[in-house]
């Protein structure tokens, strides 16, 4: 799988870098493909409700009422019809890109299997919704779809009489079939909406709305497209004629020529096998999961911060079980935990200043404990010397500062930048382990663990608990969000930071711990990935 | 604040995306069926005779049954396979044995075939055997028709409507 994932990931990173320049991280569509999926769904739903008012079921009313909308009421119903079509098309693009991106960035294993598998089931629903929609128009394309779909279904040995016989000749065709179709075209999207909701049940703070600027731009784009190229029908269906040349919507109807040329059996194998393969992707090949976070009740005071910050809803509070004088305690559901360590970075008891023998946090990753991180920082600091010694805390997924070949820099790896307690920065500087601290992680606007870097921004800006202490001198801190492909950017930032450190006045541990600016600035030096 | 270059870049991205959607929603067009040709579709669902004739129960047999089960004859549920032949302009183009459906072979036999052909005048002969005999046909129909380009002709079979139906 790696051979597929790596090039895909680098292609995404490259494109996203450009889009960061064009749109900025907040509006970058790549960072909210799922949210755009939702957004297009709402546009489809709203325009669908409007055109449904004018739609008549039955033959030939289905066709004639659609023609009325397109030609007589082009200025409203016609535009709505076009919006309905184009937003549905765009939704397919978003969903497929979303799928590819989650795959390329390896966000489907472990506890994430749930989002992945529910995501796969949306595919069938999205395509069925689109196909039934085209069917309703009852033009030549609809006739083609009707016949090809029923012929495809008839391949399965489950129907008594071939259902394609419904479309053999006009005398076979029954208006009641249309009522069923209309029902399906409403029921399938409603079910899709339910699955879209279900899809997000194992993540918290899901981004379901794109940023306003992106939403406005997207809607404007669809409007202009609807005006420039209104959606129109083919001639009316006529079962005494064979549909000949068709203007296909390739987003939804790509499978039909495949059925025709490769056979219905092939298409069943392709659709069934493809679905099965996609469902199994999170276990291909099976890999050992990293151990889930564990709560140490002796150190948990029931503050709920880990619950608030966990991006995967893996921590909950329950009544105290150990008789300690607190109301609640944290419990981790290991099946949902992705071992990102963000909860560790939220826990107020993960204080590096505690005595070495005491240093156990309320919640810990068994394979990367807070005590271990502190020991690593101490060890890493030993070979550093001079005025520009740096300890860099960075995650596994952003740009790796250790590989930049920067002198006098020691790297302490974390699972996610969100795992870093702000007090570690304070600790490194006040214990004089280094002259400056770098915190690095995934690009702004996107994070392998969804919101780790957002929490870090908030904590360092002293807007979110646990906050960076005011005594930490901000000029000795560099925060940089960069992807593995942004090496040059990170290199430049860190080199400039080291130069600034060299220029800072000679100081000792005591003078370092000055109060900073009365808290007016955000307390950190940031660097943007976007221009 | 957005820079002018960013606005232009965004507008370009939107325009390209809209272009992609606008084009692929109808183009390239696809020729499902050569408009100069015509199509014959044969499809019916029809049950053949039971494999053996019904048999009258003897007195003794009837007596042995519970009063509410005393039906005078027993009929097998299984049906014979149909024999179907279709010729177009004196050439046999379909010659099929259609087994009954269902676990017990008691359902109708069914067929659904598409036969593209040239437009113009054609003579079609459809023959069907749905009885137990093993030679000859029970229903034979001859139909001459001029198919116009793009026409779809359906051939159905409904005994209640007099046999083969061309529509
Ligand atoms: C109608 C279709 C879909 C919609 C509207 C949708 C929407 C979303 C949204 C809004 C998120 C949350 C993103 C965030 O805040 O981090 C999400 C996450 C996710 N989606 Fe989808 N999705 C759809 C289909 C799919 C498909 C087809 C797949 C793949 C098979 C998929 C895989 C995932 C995964 C794995 C996550 C979790 C990401 C993570 O844990 O970091 N989704 N989806
Ligand atoms: S490591 Fe912590 S924050 Fe991350 S998923 Fe597990 S419980 Fe949630
Ligand atoms: S953040 Fe730490 S102290 Fe607070 S509830 Fe979670 S484990 Fe307990």
């Amino acid at each position: 799988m790696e051979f597929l994932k790596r090039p895909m990931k680098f292609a995404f990173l490259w494109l996203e870098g450009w889009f960061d320049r064009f749109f900025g991280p907040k509006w970058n569509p790549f960072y909210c493909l799922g949210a755009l999926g939702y957004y297009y769904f709402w546009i489809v739903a709203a325009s669908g409700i409007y055109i449904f008012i004018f739609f008549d079921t039955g033959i030939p009313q289905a066709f004639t009422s659609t023609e009325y909308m397109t030609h007589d009421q082009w200025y409203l119903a016609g535009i709505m019809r076009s919006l309905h079509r184009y937003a549905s098309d765009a939704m397919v693009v978003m969903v497929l890109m979303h799928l590819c991106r989650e795959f390329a960035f390896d966000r489907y294993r472990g506890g994430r299997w749930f989002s992945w598998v529910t995501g796969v089931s949306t595919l069938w629903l999205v395509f069925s919704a689109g196909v039934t929609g085209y069917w309703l128009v009852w033009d030549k394309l609809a006739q083609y779809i009707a016949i090809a779909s029923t012929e495809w279904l008839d391949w399965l040995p489950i129907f008594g009489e071939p259902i394609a016989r419904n479309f053999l000749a006009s005398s076979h065709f029954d208006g009641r079939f249309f009522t069923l179709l209309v029902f399906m075209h409403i029921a399938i999207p409603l079910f899709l909406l339910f699955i879209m909701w279900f899809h997000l049940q194992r993540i918290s703070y899901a981004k379901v709305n794109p940023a306003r600027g992106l939403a406005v731009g997207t809607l404007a784009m669809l409007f202009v497209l609807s005006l420039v190229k209104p959606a129109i029908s083919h001639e009316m269906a006529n079962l005494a004629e064979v549909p000949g040349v068709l203007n296909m919507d390739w987003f939804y109807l790509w499978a039909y020529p495949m059925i025709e040329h490769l056979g219905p059996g092939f298409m069943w194998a392709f659709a069934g096998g493809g679905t099965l393969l996609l469902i199994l992707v999170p276990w291909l090949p099976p890999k050992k999961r990293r151990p889930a976070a564990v709560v140490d009740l002796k150190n948990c005071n029931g503050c709920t911060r880990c619950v608030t910050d966990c991006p995967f809803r893996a921590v909950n509070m329950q009544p105290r079980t150990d008789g300690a004088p607190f109301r609640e305690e944290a419990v981790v559901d290991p099946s949902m935990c992705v071992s990102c360590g963000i909860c560790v970075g939220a826990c107020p008891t993960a204080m590096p200043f505690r005595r070495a023998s005491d240093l156990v946090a309320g919640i810990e990753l068994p394979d990367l404990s807070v005590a271990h991180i502190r020991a690593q920082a101490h060890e890493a600091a030993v070979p550093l010397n001079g005025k520009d010694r740096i300890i860099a805390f960075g995650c596994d997924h952003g740009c790796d500062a250790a590989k930049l070949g920067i002198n006098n820099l020691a790297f302490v790896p974390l699972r996610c930048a969100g795992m870093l307690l702000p007090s570690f920065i304070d600790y490194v500087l006040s214990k004089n382990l280094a002259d400056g601290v770098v915190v690095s992680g995934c690009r702004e606007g996107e994070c392998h663990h969804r919101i780790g870097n957002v929490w870090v921004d908030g904590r360092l800006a002293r807007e979110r608990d646990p906050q960076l202490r005011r005594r930490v001198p901000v000029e000795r801190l560099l925060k940089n969000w960069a992807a593995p492909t942004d090496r040059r950017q990170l290199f430049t930032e860190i080199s400039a930071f080291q130069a600034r450190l060299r220029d800072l006045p000679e100081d000792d541990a005591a003078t370092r711990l000055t109060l900073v600016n009365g808290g007016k600035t955000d307390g950190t030096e940031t660097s943007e990935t976007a221009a | 604040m957005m820079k002018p270059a960013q606005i232009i870049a965004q507008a370009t991205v939107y325009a390209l995306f809209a272009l992609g959607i606008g084009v692929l929603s109808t183009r390239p067009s696809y020729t499902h069926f050569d408009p100069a040709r015509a199509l014959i579709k044969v499809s019916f669902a029809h049950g053949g005779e039971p494999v053996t004739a019904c048999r009258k129960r003897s007195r003794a047999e009837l007596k042995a049954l519970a009063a509410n089960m005393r039906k005078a004859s027993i009929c097998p549920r299984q049906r014979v396979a149909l024999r179907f032949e279709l010729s177009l302009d004196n050439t046999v183009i379909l010659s099929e044995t259609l087994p009954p459906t269902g676990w017990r072979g008691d359902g109708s036999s069914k067929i659904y075939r598409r036969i593209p052909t040239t437009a113009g005048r054609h003579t079609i002969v459809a023959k069907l055997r749905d009885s137990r005999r093993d030679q000859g046909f029970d229903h034979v129909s001859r139909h001459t028709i001029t198919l116009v380009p793009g026409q779809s002709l359906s051939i159905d079979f409904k005994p209640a409507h007099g046999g083969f139906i061309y529509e």
Side-chain angles (χ1 to χ4, degrees), chain A residues 293 310-312 314-315 337-343 365:
Chain A
C310 171
F312 297 93
V315 203
C337 175
V338 307
S339 316
C340 64
I342 291 178
C343 50
L365 292 185

Side-chain angles (χ1 to χ4, degrees), chain A residues 19-24 27 29 40 85-86 89-90 93-94 134 144 147 151 154 157-162 164-165 167-172 213-218 221-222 225 229 239-251 256-257 260-261 531, chain B residues 2-3 5-7 9-11 13-35 37-46 101 108-114 148-158 165 167:
Chain A
F19 274 63
D20 270 342
R21 283 176 205 124
F22 301 161
F23 287 79
W27 292 8
Y40 283 118
R85 174 181 292 185
Y86 294 134
D89 290 337
V93 179
M94 290 307 128
Y134 271 106
Y144 168 67
I147 295 172
E151 285 175 0
D154 282 333
I158 51 176
F159 301 101
E161 225 180 85
R165 279 177 53 73
F167 306 100
L168 204 56
S170 338
S171 63
H172 286 250
L214 182 61
V216 170
T218 300
M221 170 197 76
L222 288 176
L225 179 59
K229 188 177 181 242
L239 295 176
E241 288 170 12
V242 201
V245 181
L246 298 164
N247 298 326
M248 300 276 272
D249 183 325
W250 293 102
F251 297 100
Y256 287 88
E260 226 172 284
H261 295 284
Chain B
M2 260 199 283
K3 294 184 206 120
Q6 277 184 309
I7 297 177
Q10 287 189 19
V13 168
Y14 282 123
L16 287 176
F17 188 55
L19 185 74
I21 292 193
V23 169
L24 286 175
S25 65
T26 51
R27 291 281 118 103
S29 57
Y30 170 69
T31 305
H32 160 57
F33 194 81
D34 179 357
R37 287 168 67 83
L39 181 69
I40 298 173
K41 273 195 203 175
V42 186
S43 173
F44 54 80
H46 172 62
T101 51
S108 334
S109 303
K110 49 190 186 179
I111 183 168
Y112 184 96
R113 294 276 187 286
R114 300 160 52 91
V148 298
Q151 183 171 351
S152 171
L153 173 77
S154 77
I155 305 177
D156 198 353
F157 178 78
K158 282 187 184 147
I165 305 170
E167 205 178 332

Side-chain angles (χ1 to χ4, degrees), chain A residues 42-365:
Chain A
W42 294 126
I43 297 176
V44 174
S47 54
I49 290 169
Y50 186 80
I51 53 180
F52 186 63
I53 299 172
F54 298 94
F55 184 79
D56 267 339
T57 48
I59 314 295
Q61 294 91 327
F63 178 79
T64 49
S65 60
T66 311
E67 285 294 277
Y68 164 81
M69 288 188 249
T70 302
H71 300 292
D72 300 75
Q73 213 205 100
W74 64 267
Y75 49 87
L76 203 55
I79 290 184
M80 288 294 181
R81 180 186 178 196
S82 305
L83 283 179
H84 195 66
R85 174 181 292 185
Y86 294 134
S88 310
D89 290 337
M91 185 169 173
V92 170
V93 179
M94 290 307 128
V95 171
L96 293 182
M97 291 213 310
H98 172 56
L99 182 158
C100 292
R101 193 170 188 276
E102 301 303 336
F103 173 75
F105 283 72
D106 202 31
R107 288 179 209 170
Y108 54 85
R109 287 184 165 276
R112 283 158 150 148
W113 72 267
F114 179 86
S115 303
W116 179 266
V117 172
T118 51
V120 173
S121 60
T122 65
L123 296 176
W124 279 85
L125 294 168
V126 169
F127 286 112
S128 321
V131 165
T132 49
Y134 271 106
W135 196 327
L136 281 182
V137 180
W138 205 234
D139 60 355
K140 282 266 156 59
L141 182 62
Q143 180 184 342
Y144 168 67
I145 294 170
I147 295 172
S149 309
T150 46
E151 285 175 0
W152 185 54
L153 288 170
D154 282 333
W155 187 86
L156 298 175
I158 51 176
F159 301 101
E161 225 180 85
I163 33 179
R165 279 177 53 73
N166 282 302
F167 306 100
L168 204 56
S170 338
S171 63
H172 286 250
F173 193 56
D174 186 345
R176 271 177 307 180
F177 201 88
F178 246 85
T179 319
L180 175 69
L181 264 186
V182 173
F183 169 77
M184 277 169 46
H185 191 59
I186 295 170
I188 294 172
L190 280 178
F191 190 55
L192 171 62
L193 183 60
F194 168 73
I195 299 287
M196 280 159 57
W197 167 82
F198 198 50
H199 183 54
L200 305 180
Q201 288 315 295
R202 285 201 171 188
I203 54 183
S204 45
Y205 311 100
K207 217 196 297 177
V208 288
N209 293 314
R212 191 171 305 162
L214 182 61
V216 170
T218 300
L219 193 60
M221 170 197 76
L222 288 176
F223 256 114
V224 173
L225 179 59
S226 302
L227 284 173
V228 173
K229 188 177 181 242
I232 51 169
S233 310
H234 292 65
E235 278 170 51
M236 187 168 145
N238 176 358
L239 295 176
E241 288 170 12
V242 201
V245 181
L246 298 164
N247 298 326
M248 300 276 272
D249 183 325
W250 293 102
F251 297 100
Y252 283 99
L253 308 178
W254 50 270
Y256 287 88
M258 271 170 82
I259 299 177
E260 226 172 284
H261 295 284
L262 303 169
F266 173 87
M267 197 58 209
W268 276 113
F270 179 81
T275 307
L276 193 68
L277 188 71
L278 272 178
I279 287 178
L280 290 178
V281 158
W283 297 275
L284 289 179
K287 270 192 201 160
K288 228 179 121 198
R289 260 167 94 159
R290 283 196 159 133
V294 285
V295 174
D296 180 61
L297 278 188
K298 281 204 295 298
N299 286 288
C300 170
N301 62 23
C303 72
T304 75
R305 280 185 198 163
C306 51
V307 180
T308 312
D309 280 9
C310 171
F312 297 93
R313 296 195 182 175
V315 203
N316 285 299
M317 299 307 289
Q318 68 175 28
R320 208 72 202 187
T321 56
D322 63 348
F326 304 107
R327 253 188 53 226
E328 291 180 314
E329 66 189 30
V331 284
V332 176
D333 178 344
S335 70
M336 291 168 78
C337 175
V338 307
S339 316
C340 64
I342 291 178
C343 50
V344 180
C347 183
T349 65
M351 282 287 282
F353 287 102
R354 289 165 60 178
R355 276 211 322 267
S357 55
D358 286 352
L359 185 50
V360 178
I363 192 160
E364 289 261 24
L365 292 185

Side-chain angles (χ1 to χ4, degrees), chain A residues 511-522:
Chain A
T511 54
R512 280 180 191 199
L513 301 179
T514 48
L515 273 168
V516 200
N517 306 1
K520 289 223 175 61
T521 66
D522 84 354

